[in-house]
Amino acid sequence: MHSPSQLKRDFLKQWLKGLQMCSYPKKEMSILERKKAIKLSADVAMASARNATSCWGLALIANASKEGNDKCLVEHLLGQESERGKMASTFQLAILHKKLRSKKIIKKSCSVRRVKKLTPRMVLASSVAKRLVKNRTKVLKSLVPGGESMDEFSLIKETLDYIVSLRVQVDVMRCLANASDLLNCKGVHG
Amino acid sequence: MELGKCAEARSVDCGEKAEEIGADHFQLGEEIRTLVSAPPDSGSSFTALLELPANQAVKLLHSPELEETPRAAELPPVFPACKLSVFLGAGNSPDTGSIPVKQEPTDSDSPPGNSSPLAADPMAVDGDRKLTKRKEREKKVKGPAKKSRTAAECEADGEKLPYVHVRARRGQATDSHSLAERARREKINARMKLLQELVPGCNKISGTAMVLDEIINHVQSLQRQVEFLSMRLAAVNPRIDINLDSLLAAENGSLLDSNFSGIIMPSMWPEGQFNVNRQQYPQVWHQPVWGREEGNPNFITPENSLLSYNSSANSGKSYFLILAN
């Protein structure tokens, strides 16, 4: 398992590689474009650094490669060999997603009947709690990439993973930003 | 006090790890303490009552630091657990080494990688007793219930009469569905505990919904930070190119030597030096990529300014030194 510094290193390597590739096609980019490119390369770098273990990483890459203009970029970033792997995984993800969707539709149709039968006069605390938890898990699913096609258990695991990698990402980016700021200040004064 | 002594004994083993893990270990330490204290009391009576084979009881009693997580979970989920403690402690490899090793005997009980209800059934007969033991211990560990359901079940029978507790469980245990449900719930509880430890400020909160709330907030804030930082990095660019020449001339050695050892300084990469460094580090940096540096949004300066610095050799090497730390 990666130690955090190892992860940081991997992430940084990938990210800087990606940044180089981002800048190549266009010489002049608006700030928003640049920001998008930076963020995208950071995300993809993060995802590929954690590639083997994370479902959210694959989902992230799949999402990123959906849109046309980013697609080539993502492919470049990942390299030729891994691209095939990603394609395979994206297909799997799509299939899984469809399966789960159909399952959920069936479940929902069943549960609707159940609700009608129960019609509780007294609202039990447990049912309220369950509803709250359900709402929260829905929100969490929307946050974590690829979260929709996951059951509760793996969702929690993916969240764990995702939080850790987000932290690494934030740390590295902050270091870079600080370093560049300091350089700028020194440059201004010196 | 007995609890204190147990805690001391336990903390000696993980003393070395404790320094590294830091504050988070306190929560772990509390749980370890309660874990250690609880089994001796209930364990012997349980094993007598339930006629558990001794080695299984031992396995349960001496669970790894991350308590119930390993027992219920499959192997892959252990990695986040190990990695968490590692991450929090900034790289503590002995932890990760020990936990997967302890994992294997317990995992062989439950068929690995199978989270379906059927998986609960092989565990069912001897498993429900483990579950009851675990539930009791969990209750003592968690104190005021984190999950209302499990706590509600435990609390009535609770600490006073473990025998009654077991009895109630046996009545329920025959239903395979509830067993599977309970196993699943336990898994989820264990995971939620991990999440609680990871997200700062979640330890005091009880109740799944609130914990999830905190987690959502945390994830959202992290994502927002990424956005913000990427915007900041994007904004930084125009000035960098102008100033970096003079900056590099003046500050090349000193910046690296000084307090920025923790900060990665990619701007110190001289393009010309890379051929030298590539021999030192087996990395795949494509040569053509480096040629495109003029358009780079970030830190690589035009090569003509870099090559003139003779101290740039040091900076390139020290960059890799920084990375290596």
Side-chain angles (χ1 to χ4, degrees):
Chain A
M1 205 56 214
H2 298 286
S3 64
S5 53
Q6 167 77 28
L7 188 59
K8 280 188 190 176
R9 247 181 290 164
D10 289 343
F11 168 60
L12 183 68
K13 252 194 282 179
Q14 297 261 0
W15 186 29
L16 290 164
K17 230 197 292 185
L19 284 172
Q20 295 270 312
M21 294 192 205
C22 283
S23 60
Y24 179 57
K26 303 182 189 176
K27 295 286 175 175
E28 200 49 55
M29 289 198 278
S30 75
I31 189 169
L32 282 174
E33 283 181 15
R34 228 184 286 137
K35 174 229 170 190
K36 253 199 231 171
I38 291 175
K39 179 157 187 293
L40 177 70
S41 51
D43 287 341
V44 173
M46 201 70 237
S48 53
R50 308 276 293 139
N51 189 27
T53 48
S54 66
C55 173
W56 62 264
L58 297 172
L60 204 151
I61 293 173
N63 286 336
S65 35
K66 265 187 219 165
E67 298 130 37
N69 41 354
D70 296 332
K71 189 174 182 182
C72 335
L73 196 60
V74 173
E75 285 170 7
H76 278 301
L77 287 169
L78 298 172
Q80 288 305 326
E81 320 84 35
S82 49
E83 188 201 323
R84 273 177 241 132
K86 298 297 182 298
M87 298 299 276
S89 54
T90 50
F91 281 131
Q92 283 175 9
L93 263 175
I95 294 166
L96 184 67
H97 201 53
K98 279 179 195 167
K99 274 190 197 164
L100 282 162
R101 256 192 215 149
S102 53
K103 263 193 208 171
K104 280 178 184 173
I105 291 169
I106 294 169
K107 266 189 196 173
K108 273 184 186 171
S109 59
C110 294
S111 64
V112 163
R113 280 179 230 143
R114 259 185 251 146
V115 166
K116 280 178 185 170
K117 280 181 193 169
L118 287 177
T119 58
R121 298 292 169 101
M122 278 202 321
V123 182
L124 296 168
S126 57
S127 61
V128 168
K130 275 187 208 171
R131 210 187 317 137
L132 283 177
V133 169
K134 247 190 200 174
N135 286 338
R136 303 289 200 289
T137 45
K138 246 194 276 179
V139 175
L140 192 58
K141 279 184 183 178
S142 66
L143 278 182
V144 177
E148 289 85 9
S149 48
M150 281 190 230
D151 63 329
E152 206 179 290
F153 181 61
S154 40
L155 177 69
I156 295 182
K157 177 182 137 199
E158 293 300 321
T159 314
L160 274 172
D161 224 21
Y162 189 53
I163 289 179
V164 170
S165 355
L166 270 181
R167 273 201 193 156
V168 165
Q169 198 174 357
V170 165
D171 280 341
V172 171
M173 288 176 91
R174 194 180 290 145
C175 281
L176 264 183
N178 286 337
S180 66
D181 278 350
L182 285 159
L183 282 177
N184 263 340
C185 295
K186 303 244 172 169
V188 166
H189 296 316
Chain B
M1 186 170 125
E2 189 203 13
L3 277 174
K5 282 181 194 167
C6 291
E8 287 309 306
R10 195 74 177 195
S11 56
V12 164
D13 317 303
C14 38
E16 26 167 69
K17 302 167 190 170
E19 303 144 22
E20 306 187 44
I21 295 182
D24 292 284
H25 193 69
F26 283 114
Q27 289 102 17
L28 286 174
E30 282 172 23
E31 286 143 10
I32 293 165
R33 196 188 315 145
T34 47
L35 254 185
V36 171
S37 62
D41 303 331
S42 55
S44 52
S45 58
F46 265 99
T47 49
L49 279 170
L50 311 175
E51 295 145 20
L52 258 183
N55 53 353
Q56 280 185 359
V58 165
K59 262 185 246 159
L60 288 171
L61 291 177
H62 298 288
S63 57
E65 286 179 26
L66 293 172
E67 14 154 9
E68 287 86 7
T69 341
R71 246 170 285 123
E74 314 123 304
L75 246 166
V78 172
F79 286 139
C82 314
K83 176 216 339 144
L84 274 178
S85 59
V86 164
F87 187 72
L88 294 168
N92 186 9
S93 42
D95 242 353
T96 55
S98 61
I99 292 176
V101 169
K102 284 184 184 172
Q103 260 298 287
E104 261 116 53
T106 55
D107 263 345
S108 58
D109 295 339
S110 55
N114 190 358
S115 55
S116 69
L118 291 173
D121 288 336
M123 280 169 51
V125 179
D126 54 325
D128 65 326
R129 291 156 190 177
K130 285 188 201 171
L131 282 172
T132 57
K133 222 206 264 191
R134 229 178 295 149
K135 275 270 144 64
E136 225 223 2
R137 222 179 304 148
E138 256 189 38
K139 195 202 62 109
K140 286 183 184 179
V141 167
K142 289 177 191 170
K146 185 173 68 71
K147 282 272 172 91
S148 52
R149 281 175 284 177
T150 51
E153 287 165 28
C154 297
E155 240 162 71
D157 313 315
E159 304 166 69
K160 303 162 193 173
L161 296 166
Y163 191 74
V164 174
H165 192 66
V166 170
R167 269 233 175 112
R169 288 290 167 177
R170 267 191 205 151
Q172 283 180 344
T174 53
D175 186 1
S176 65
H177 285 299
S178 64
L179 260 184
E181 268 258 341
R182 214 182 310 142
R184 182 178 155 269
R185 251 181 281 149
E186 272 210 359
K187 276 200 289 186
I188 293 181
N189 285 352
R191 284 294 166 73
M192 292 291 295
K193 283 225 70 156
L194 277 179
L195 266 177
Q196 269 193 312
E197 284 158 22
L198 184 61
V199 176
C202 250
N203 282 304
K204 299 154 193 164
I205 300 177
S206 59
T208 323
M210 297 298 127
V211 168
L212 279 177
D213 229 10
E214 280 296 320
I215 292 167
I216 288 171
N217 284 336
H218 193 62
V219 169
Q220 275 175 338
S221 77
L222 281 174
Q223 282 176 338
R224 256 181 267 139
Q225 275 181 21
V226 167
E227 294 262 346
F228 176 69
L229 280 170
S230 61
M231 186 55 120
R232 192 172 149 197
L233 282 172
V236 129
N237 175 51
R239 301 191 302 274
I240 272 257
D241 292 337
I242 301 168
N243 294 318
L244 212 43
D245 291 0
S246 48
L247 174 66
L248 281 175
E251 304 281 349
N252 212 342
S254 59
L255 265 176
L256 290 169
D257 298 342
S258 65
N259 45 358
F260 302 146
S261 55
I263 299 174
I264 297 161
M265 306 282 281
S267 58
M268 294 305 179
W269 283 342
E271 193 249 356
Q273 296 304 318
F274 228 87
N275 297 321
V276 173
N277 290 325
R278 216 192 292 161
Q279 292 149 22
Q280 300 174 9
Y281 264 75
Q283 291 168 359
V284 185
W285 294 103
H286 306 295
Q287 188 62 20
V289 168
W290 286 102
R292 299 185 208 135
E293 58 193 336
E294 301 93 43
N296 189 289
N298 273 325
F299 301 112
I300 313 300
T301 59
E303 53 178 309
N304 45 13
S305 56
L306 281 170
L307 289 175
S308 56
Y309 301 127
N310 41 15
S311 56
S312 51
N314 297 332
S315 63
K317 286 174 194 167
S318 30
Y319 167 70
F320 286 104
L321 282 174
I322 290 166
L323 270 188
N325 289 341

